[in-house]
Amino acid sequence: MAEGRIVKALSGFYYVKSGDEIYSCKGRGVFRNRKITPLVGDFVQFEESNPGEGYIMEIAERENELVRPPIANINQAIIVSSAVSPDFSTVLLDRFLVLIESKHIQPLIFITKIDLISEEERRQIEEFKRIYENIGYTVELLSSKEPDSLPDLEEYFADKVSVFAGQSGVGKSSLLNVLKPSLLLKTAEISKSLGRGKHTTRHVELMQINRGLVADTPGFSILDFSEIEAEELTDCFPEMRDRREQCKFRGCMHHKEPKCAVKEAVEKEEIPQFRYDHYLSFLEEIQSRKPRY
């Protein structure tokens, strides 16, 4: 059987790249019976039924996968936030970071629309940049309307499979258009009544950009932690994960326990208060959800 990678899923068809050719494939019925859905990014084996067409027969084991957007075998996730319209939100950014960290995918942070903010707002954004870089994240401040500021980004994509994730309207498609103008991806203005972007990307597709593959995905603004257990949340905050072994009690949740290294680091301002507050909020959300049966 031939082998390849799914690079697009649309209307029940899976477009498999094998060598220099793209094959339009359907999934075997056995996948439905086993409740397995092929995902963009999957490595598959397929049988060609007609020239350029075929059936996916096997799906290789995945290194990782995301539910929203539905994609597998990702090296890094580029979380795109905007400085304004919609306004920059550390809560939303941290929700994305927790989700990506829980999947053991390397996150990068791109903050767009820097050209639209005041000097005071820029100072605030640069302070957040410093905070997240101190945690260990890579942060870039960008403007899609200033292409000359983007060439240094090319090395981020080389030999990587990247997914762009972020709230609708933050400029993911605009940024991809600047990186590769031939894409001509649709963009939309922010909805004034809703205060968020209109959905312009309707499917997931891997595209060749700067010697790597990049997925443009539907924008979304709701993230839940249904796949994360309370005991795993610490591992999704690198600055807390690094101090976990210093807590007095094994399995410390960094909430009400005494002699907690994380709480001590917050008091010493070694961990930002807002990050700890987000951790507690997420912890409560996870602990209060209804049990799954």
Side-chain angles (χ1 to χ4, degrees):
M1 287 186 289
E3 297 181 347
R5 182 202 286 267
I6 298 176
V7 294
K8 182 169 71 170
L10 186 63
S11 301
F13 285 90
Y14 303 97
Y15 296 85
V16 179
K17 188 175 191 300
S18 181
D20 295 328
E21 301 295 326
I22 301 288
Y23 296 83
S24 174
C25 297
K26 299 283 283 187
R28 290 176 62 200
V30 68
F31 293 138
R32 287 191 296 274
N33 297 337
R34 289 156 52 187
K35 297 184 178 179
I36 297 174
T37 301
L39 296 177
V40 170
D42 273 336
F43 292 101
V44 300
Q45 293 182 337
F46 66 97
E47 287 185 350
E48 190 173 5
S49 55
N50 293 304
E53 299 178 353
Y55 287 89
I56 294 173
M57 308 301 288
E58 296 290 342
I59 299 174
E61 184 177 353
R62 295 165 179 159
E63 290 186 15
N64 52 54
E65 66 179 272
L66 296 175
V67 177
R68 290 183 297 177
I71 192 167
N73 300 315
I74 298 301
N75 300 124
Q76 63 184 10
I78 299 167
I79 303 171
V80 185
S81 297
S82 56
V84 66
S85 193
D87 292 339
F88 180 72
S89 166
T90 57
V91 176
L92 189 56
L93 174 57
D94 284 347
R95 292 185 79 89
F96 275 105
L97 286 169
V98 165
L99 178 63
I100 298 305
E101 291 275 5
S102 73
K103 299 295 185 178
H104 307 290
I105 299 171
Q106 177 66 42
L108 283 72
I109 302 170
F110 287 1
I111 303 177
T112 61
K113 305 185 184 181
I114 294 300
D115 56 305
L116 301 179
I117 57 177
S118 66
E119 285 299 317
E120 176 59 29
E121 290 170 328
R122 186 179 182 107
R123 281 192 290 270
Q124 293 174 353
I125 293 293
E126 287 176 343
E127 175 61 15
F128 284 123
K129 179 178 187 291
R130 182 190 66 80
I131 289 171
Y132 282 98
E133 286 179 335
N134 285 343
I135 293 170
Y137 293 117
T138 297
V139 184
E140 292 284 357
L141 306 184
L142 308 170
S143 168
S144 297
K145 294 184 178 179
E146 298 174 0
D148 291 342
S149 69
L150 298 178
D152 291 340
L153 300 181
E154 292 184 4
E155 289 306 312
Y156 288 128
F157 302 101
D159 304 317
K160 299 280 181 62
V161 179
S162 309
V163 59
F164 270 56
Q167 185 182 13
S168 296
V170 295
K172 298 188 299 297
S173 293
S174 295
L175 183 56
L176 284 168
N177 280 338
V178 172
L179 290 168
K180 189 173 182 179
S182 61
L183 293 175
L184 299 175
L185 298 174
K186 292 182 180 180
T187 60
E189 298 297 322
I190 299 297
S191 167
K192 299 299 183 182
S193 59
L194 298 176
R196 60 176 183 266
K198 302 172 185 176
H199 292 257
T200 54
T201 307
R202 299 299 181 184
H203 64 277
V204 180
E205 180 176 357
L206 286 174
M207 302 167 292
Q208 191 81 34
I209 294 181
N210 296 332
R211 307 194 313 280
L213 292 172
V214 178
D216 186 33
T217 64
F220 50 93
S221 58
I222 298 175
L223 287 167
D224 62 53
F225 302 134
S226 58
E227 296 184 350
I228 303 174
E229 300 300 328
E231 296 76 16
E232 300 170 335
L233 186 59
T234 295
D235 289 336
C236 302
F237 285 78
E239 67 273 43
M240 299 182 190
R241 180 174 65 222
D242 294 343
R243 292 174 168 85
R244 179 179 50 195
E245 299 302 320
Q246 302 169 26
C247 294
K248 179 178 180 179
F249 295 100
R250 188 175 182 180
C252 180
M253 301 300 290
H254 323 305
H255 186 201
K256 298 179 181 178
E257 300 90 342
K259 297 186 178 180
C260 168
V262 168
K263 289 193 293 185
E264 290 174 3
V266 175
E267 292 174 2
K268 294 177 182 177
E269 299 184 351
E270 295 171 356
I271 291 179
Q273 182 69 50
F274 76 88
R275 286 274 290 177
Y276 179 65
D277 291 343
H278 295 167
Y279 167 83
L280 292 180
S281 175
F282 300 163
L283 181 64
E284 181 182 4
E285 179 179 333
I286 292 171
Q287 291 176 330
S288 64
R289 74 184 176 210
K290 294 180 180 179
R292 290 175 289 179
Y293 297 101

